[in-house]
């Protein structure tokens, strides 16, 4: 490297070295910094390093000088993310089902670089989870990016909707091509869903993003603004119960007081709850009546009673009876 060009890069090399190799427990001495610069073809002296540190601090870098008989030095104190914040981010990446294992590892490596070499190992120990189910759709990361871009640019998108086959492969459905107007991405039950307006059927629909292939941004402007403005996304997410289709209905459920947390987790703190005698309460909520909703009720067991409407009570009993009959001996 030519001496002149090396001197121009000197401050950048110092910042990179301090960011990657120092923290409050591991300061770098002036000799360490000079050795690093020399290894990259940049000659430096102690006095010039002192001047460089002053310039970097004046520019805004939070570099702390440690004075010690045992050997002081400099370390990068201010980082964009604290270690605790990076742990949260890495944990979210590792546990996200919509990201493939390969993409998760790539993102975690990038986050590790922001922690410095002494804390990078702490991130790995913090988040390792064995056997976590991950998506196999490698393009989902870029699908989400295209969806965001289409929303920002007020454009429609086209894509193929995918399904699993018996060979454990994601393949396009018959007549799988879709063109819709994307309006919002929803995170629900560890999956990403797209809420979009389908102009052909003139209604709002939802799609699992990890089952969307070949997502492309179209030139056509989005449609369905009027329909989307009528949607309360928070309520919509709670109503649909995992995004399974069905008819909407206002149901009244009765449960023991000890299960109020279960209800609030599902319907939110604004749920319409009324105290009843004998340690029980009732909740009224708009839900999408579907197998997913009935499965949630069955998970609670005999402690939950469908009070009304009668049609939903009948449907639930029939749903349970169908399951029992399918398990009976021939």
């Amino acid at each position: 490297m030519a001496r002149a060009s090396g001197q121009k890069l000197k401050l950048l090399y110092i910042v990179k070295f301090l960011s990657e190799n120092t923290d409050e427990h591991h300061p770098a001495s002036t000799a360490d910094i000079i050795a690093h610069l020399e290894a990259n073809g940049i000659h430096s002296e102690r006095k010039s390093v002192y001047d460089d540190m002053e310039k970097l601090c004046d520019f805004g870098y939070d570099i702390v000088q440690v004075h010690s008989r045992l050997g002081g030095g400099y370390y990068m104190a201010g980082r964009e993310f604290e270690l605790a914040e990076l742990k949260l981010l890495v944990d979210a990446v590792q546990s996200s089902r919509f990201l493939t294992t390969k993409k998760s590892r790539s993102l975690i490596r990038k986050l590790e670089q922001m922690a410095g070499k002494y804390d990078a190992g702490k991130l790995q120990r913090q988040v390792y989870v064995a056997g976590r189910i991950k998506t196999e759709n490698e393009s989902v990361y870029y699908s989400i990016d295209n969806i965001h871009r289409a929303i920002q640019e007020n454009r429609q998108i086209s894509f193929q909707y995918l399904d699993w086959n018996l060979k454990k492969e994601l393949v396009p459905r018959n007549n799988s091509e879709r063109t819709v107007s994307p309006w919002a991405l929803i995170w629900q039950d560890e999956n990403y869903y797209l809420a979009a307006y389908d102009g052909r059927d003139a209604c709002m629909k939802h799609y699992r993003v990890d089952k969307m292939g070949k997502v492309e941004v179209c030139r056509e402007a989005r449609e369905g603004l009027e329909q989307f403005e009528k949607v309360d996304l928070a309520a919509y997410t709670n109503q649909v119960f995992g995004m399974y289709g069905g008819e909407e209905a206002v149901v009244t459920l009765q449960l023991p007081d000890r299960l109020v947390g279960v209800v609030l987790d599902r319907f939110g703190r604004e749920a319409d709850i009324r105290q009843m005698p004998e340690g029980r309460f009732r909740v009224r909520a708009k839900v999408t009546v579907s197998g997913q909703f009935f499965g949630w009720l069955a998970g609670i067991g005999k402690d939950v009673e469908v009070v009304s409407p009668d049609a939903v009570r009948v449907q639930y009993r029939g749903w349970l009876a169908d399951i029992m009959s399918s398990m009976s001996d021939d």
Side-chain angles (χ1 to χ4, degrees), residues 88-106:
L88 291 174
L89 292 174
V90 173
D91 190 36
V93 169
Q94 182 67 38
S95 60
S96 294
R97 294 181 59 182
F98 78 91
L99 290 175
T100 63
T101 300
K102 179 180 177 182
K103 180 55 68 176
S104 292
R105 288 173 179 168
S106 174

Side-chain angles (χ1 to χ4, degrees), residues 71-86:
Y74 300 90
Y75 69 90
M76 185 70 74
R79 298 177 183 272
E80 290 197 36
F81 293 96
E82 297 178 6
L83 180 61
E85 294 172 328
L86 288 173

